[in-house]
Amino acid sequence: MLRIKNLAVKLEEEDKQILRGVDLTIGAGEVHAIMGPNGSGKSTLSYVLAGREGYEVTEGSATLEGEELLEMEPEERAAAGLFLAFQYPVEIPGVGNMTFLRTAVNAQRKARGEEEMSAGEFLKVVREKAKKLKIDADMLKRPVNVGFSGGEKKRNEILQMAMLEPKMCILDETDSGLDVDAMKLVSDGVNALRDEGRAFLVITHYQRLLDHIKPDVVHIMAAGRIVKTGGPELALEVEHNGYADILAEVQ
Ligand code: ADP
Ligand code: MG
Ligand code: MG
């Protein structure tokens, strides 16, 4: 599904190398987690995959089902099936949440050569999915994320993901700032989308999210590289011992 090879990235503004040769392959149906100390480049990796400005790719490639993502515009990446739930979801004043979702869904469908969802069908589907995430009707009418609590924003991102049905979902610290109940809702939302045609990359600081969203593979990122890869037990090791042992081992 996603194949990242020797990806090296620096900041455009200053001569600062952030990613130093990331290699990562995620198969369809798999859930991978990335953990790692603050500042190791986890968010940068997700931003670069999404096509955010300000970064220069100096080496490497990232393909989604064989197509080079790094050459696509951000909206082309989304149409190709990439979805990112950010650590800090953006607020869009003046645009109703429902309108935003419907526009995004229909743009996606158009890009895939599918028919638009009718207004009636859209309403039915969005209400059903919102209910599961405990997002009430009022939140669907309000401007996107404006005045939403941290937990509401994260649940809203999962709703966007559920509506768009992407192939490759990347969640960057979707658990940060969530209480236990909200984390459970978000995890249930993600688990409901697990499918053999879809893959997930979950970036998290905490093993507890991985109790709910059980990963097949866990990677540790440090100083712009993936330095260790293992199974779910690796996340438990981090939880108990921190990163020091792992980092000492790979140096
Ligand atoms: P993580 O998500 O693993 O905590 P980040 O990808 O956010 O790490 O950051 C990696 C490194 O790059 C950090 O040292 C951070 O300060 C730096 N960095 C990222 N974006 C910028 C930016 N726009 N300007 C300056 N430094 C940045
Ligand atoms: Mg961070
Ligand atoms: Mg980050």
Side-chain angles (χ1 to χ4, degrees), residues 6-239:
N6 193 31
L7 184 62
V9 171
K10 68 184 201 56
L11 291 176
E12 255 169 20
E13 292 279 299
E14 34 184 312
D15 194 25
K16 185 176 174 186
Q17 196 73 34
I18 300 182
L19 300 183
R20 301 162 188 273
V22 173
D23 287 297
L24 177 64
T25 301
I26 304 180
E30 294 177 356
V31 176
H32 289 228
I34 296 187
M35 304 179 82
N38 275 324
S40 53
K42 304 180 299 297
S43 292
T44 301
L45 176 63
S46 55
Y47 292 147
V48 169
L49 292 175
R52 186 157 143 169
E53 288 176 17
Y55 302 98
E56 189 191 325
V57 175
T58 54
E59 257 185 280
S61 69
T63 55
L64 182 69
E65 292 188 313
E67 283 190 76
E68 183 55 72
L69 282 172
L70 302 177
E71 284 161 11
M72 297 181 198
E73 296 299 321
E75 57 277 13
E76 292 171 330
R77 300 177 197 211
L82 182 73
F83 180 89
L84 275 103
F86 290 116
Q87 190 168 355
Y88 306 107
V90 286
E91 300 185 0
I92 315 179
V95 179
N97 206 15
M98 194 88 103
T99 308
F100 174 80
L101 280 171
R102 185 150 177 244
T103 306
V105 166
N106 283 332
Q108 178 93 304
R109 292 197 157 211
K110 203 171 160 200
R112 290 176 180 169
E114 296 167 3
E115 251 182 71
E116 285 198 356
M117 225 187 218
S118 72
E121 191 191 353
F122 175 80
L123 255 185
K124 185 169 155 265
V125 175
V126 79
R127 280 188 181 142
E128 187 185 290
K129 291 187 195 281
K131 196 173 164 200
K132 285 202 186 123
L133 288 159
K134 295 208 165 44
I135 291 171
D136 62 31
D138 175 54
M139 252 171 82
L140 287 176
K141 285 182 207 140
R142 277 156 56 189
V144 182
N145 289 331
V146 176
F148 287 21
S149 73
E152 286 169 344
K153 284 181 184 173
K154 301 286 167 95
R155 278 185 277 144
N156 202 41
E157 290 249 305
I158 303 301
L159 176 63
Q160 288 170 17
M161 188 168 88
M163 291 304 296
L164 288 170
E165 302 186 329
K167 292 181 192 159
M168 181 71 230
C169 309
I170 304 179
L171 309 172
D172 186 8
E173 290 195 33
T174 296
D175 52 336
S176 70
L178 293 187
D179 61 37
V180 179
D181 293 335
M183 193 166 67
K184 181 91 182 22
L185 280 174
V186 163
S187 306
D188 289 348
V190 169
N191 288 331
L193 287 172
R194 285 178 84 150
D195 180 282
E196 56 190 26
R198 183 172 290 137
F200 291 85
L201 178 60
V202 179
I203 299 171
T204 183
H205 271 305
Y206 304 106
Q207 133 70 24
R208 55 176 196 175
L209 181 71
L210 306 180
D211 281 337
H212 298 292
I213 304 174
K214 295 200 165 53
D216 301 297
V217 184
V218 175
H219 308 275
I220 307 297
M221 192 160 176
R225 259 194 212 106
I226 288 175
V227 297
K228 188 164 183 177
T229 295
E233 74 287 347
L234 193 51
L236 289 168
E237 189 187 328
V238 165
E239 180 83 347

